[in-house]
Amino acid sequence: MTANRKLIAGNWKMNGLKADALDLASDLAGRLKGAGPVAFDMLVCPPFPLLFPVGEAIADSPLALGGQDCAPKTSGAHTGDVAPTMLKDAGCRFVILGHSERRADHGETDAVVNAKAVAAHKEGLVAIVCVGETEAQRDAGQANAVVSGQLAGSIPAGATADNTVIAYEPVWAIGTGKTATPDDVKAMHAHIRTELDGKIAGAAKVRILYGGSVKPGNAAELMAVENVDGALVGGASLKADDFWAIGTACR
Ligand code: PEP
């Protein structure tokens, strides 16, 4: 099977003000423009208020823009929510959905994530659907079953390899400095690929990202694992040198 082109996605979470965000995004955009052909696509997902300025700053570069969430509706009386149309308007091509922090902090269920993915797809956005088990679930031997359930519930019927990316993020590895072993990542990504087969046409082409304390020191090893088609990066995406090093670790 030919390997999919890697996607290196930065989830800035609730970090950064306008000046820092513009510095970071412009730095990455400049590196991408000057680098010539690279083995990865790069994406940044800033907080909502920074989408427009960052989008304008990187508009003439290959650096892609994404939101960290979106509402399952297009418009209306939904105070505090942001519609996929608004993300599109700001220049986004991607949106992260069902991140474990949203599942935990905002009670997002698989059904909610599914409805958001439908709305995102309607606007032509690529949905990055996050799945992953907690430490207790892994210790209880339930990791595969938990991830299977999340995939079954969160991925909508209209999902394709072009409009959907999966991010496997074991909850216990996010922001903790703990990383899943390459063998565990290999086993879970193979499991996810099998689950996608039959659910999404052209499942082999769906990019499956690994997320959880990816940094320059472990990126080459993780990105070389079979069925790992990129990374979803939190902390290390806030420093241009680190995020760039994760990209250039891709072969
Ligand atoms: C994330 O938030 O998606 C993430 C993987 O964070 P970190 O890289 O900081 O573990």
Side-chain angles (χ1 to χ4, degrees), residues 88-157:
K88 201 69 195 299
D89 197 33
C92 291
R93 287 175 39 217
F94 293 82
V95 59
I96 298 169
L97 295 176
H99 190 282
S100 62
E101 287 154 14
R102 295 213 54 93
R103 289 178 186 262
D105 298 352
H106 299 273
E108 289 192 5
T109 61
D110 292 332
V112 168
V113 177
N114 190 310
K116 290 182 173 193
V118 170
H121 287 162
K122 239 184 238 163
E123 290 310 316
L125 292 168
V126 177
I128 302 178
V129 176
C130 301
V131 295
E133 79 287 357
T134 63
E135 192 154 34
Q137 288 165 333
R138 174 157 285 266
D139 290 347
Q142 297 165 347
N144 282 9
V146 167
V147 167
S148 295
Q150 289 172 331
L151 291 169
S154 307
I155 298 178

Side-chain angles (χ1 to χ4, degrees), residues 11 13 99 101 169 173-176 211-214 232-236:
N11 174 11
K13 309 194 185 188
H99 190 282
E101 287 154 14
E169 298 207 302
I174 296 178
T176 58
S213 299
V214 177
L232 181 54
V233 186

Side-chain angles (χ1 to χ4, degrees), residues 51-52 55-56 65 83-92 123 125:
L51 285 174
F52 268 98
E56 278 166 17
L65 187 70
T85 35
M86 296 167 181
L87 298 184
K88 201 69 195 299
D89 197 33
C92 291
E123 290 310 316
L125 292 168

Side-chain angles (χ1 to χ4, degrees), residues 112-219:
V112 168
V113 177
N114 190 310
K116 290 182 173 193
V118 170
H121 287 162
K122 239 184 238 163
E123 290 310 316
L125 292 168
V126 177
I128 302 178
V129 176
C130 301
V131 295
E133 79 287 357
T134 63
E135 192 154 34
Q137 288 165 333
R138 174 157 285 266
D139 290 347
Q142 297 165 347
N144 282 9
V146 167
V147 167
S148 295
Q150 289 172 331
L151 291 169
S154 307
I155 298 178
T160 68
D162 290 329
N163 68 17
T164 304
V165 171
I166 306 299
Y168 168 57
E169 298 207 302
V171 177
W172 48 271
I174 296 178
T176 58
K178 290 190 208 169
T179 326
T181 65
D183 280 351
D184 285 344
V185 173
K186 183 176 175 185
M188 182 56 86
H189 280 232
H191 173 69
I192 292 172
R193 185 77 68 203
T194 306
E195 291 288 288
L196 294 179
D197 212 8
K199 186 156 181 60
I200 297 187
K205 291 266 160 234
V206 176
R207 293 198 275 195
I208 307 174
L209 314 185
Y210 169 76
S213 299
V214 177
K215 33 190 184 275
N218 59 24

